[in-house]
Amino acid sequence: MKFTAKVTIGLKEGMLDPEARAIQHALANIGFATEGLSTARVFTITLEAEDRAAAEAQVEQMCERLLANPVIHRYEVEVLA
Amino acid sequence: MKFTAKVTIGLKEGMLDPEARAIQHALANIGFATEGLSTARVFTITLEAEDRAAAEAQVEQMCERLLANPVIHRYEVEVLA
């Protein structure tokens, strides 16, 4: 069966996010004041799997082994369909 | 009033996504077959605005002027709270 999974990968709470600070600074330079800004990556993956649980397990493994750095990142896997 | 907006920025339909292809290739190298993979960036922005519509308009402007490249990117703005 074909499944689509959405993976959201962001920095763990308390981690410095220099990219977000730089973007916030650039937005301020062109006149947009923001109180906070955080960034995250989203991967939408289509894969074959036995069932929904197997799809979720596979995508979790993809995160652990490649997509996310377990030291600094937190990730969320959502099997859509 | 304080609002939180979520901005999702991805490539327009039909645009080549070399990063996604490279990730798909790397996943295959470690044994994960995928049928499709796409990437997107998500910004969560906290800002002050008169009302919800004003917050949405401000964030749309941020996308148009800095966060997204209107030529290759499509973006979605969602004012959460």
Side-chain angles (χ1 to χ4, degrees), chain A residues 2 6 8 19 23-24 26-27 30-48 57-59 61-62 65-67, chain B residues 2 6 8 19 23-24 26-27 30-48 57-59 61-62 65-67:
Chain A
K2 191 184 277 192
K6 189 174 137 186
T8 305
E19 184 191 8
I23 292 170
Q24 213 173 345
L27 284 171
I30 57 171
F32 296 109
T34 57
E35 302 211 355
L37 187 143
S38 66
T39 63
R41 305 281 320 273
V42 171
F43 296 101
T44 305
I45 300 170
T46 314
L47 71 159
E48 277 290 331
Q58 253 193 81
V59 175
Q61 274 298 301
M62 291 177 194
R65 295 188 53 199
L66 185 84
L67 300 177
Chain B
K2 190 183 280 192
K6 188 174 137 188
T8 305
E19 185 191 9
I23 292 170
Q24 213 173 344
L27 285 170
I30 56 171
F32 296 108
T34 57
E35 301 211 354
L37 187 144
S38 66
T39 63
R41 305 280 322 273
V42 170
F43 295 100
T44 305
I45 300 170
T46 313
L47 69 158
E48 277 289 332
Q58 253 192 82
V59 176
Q61 273 299 299
M62 292 178 194
R65 293 188 53 199
L66 185 83
L67 300 178

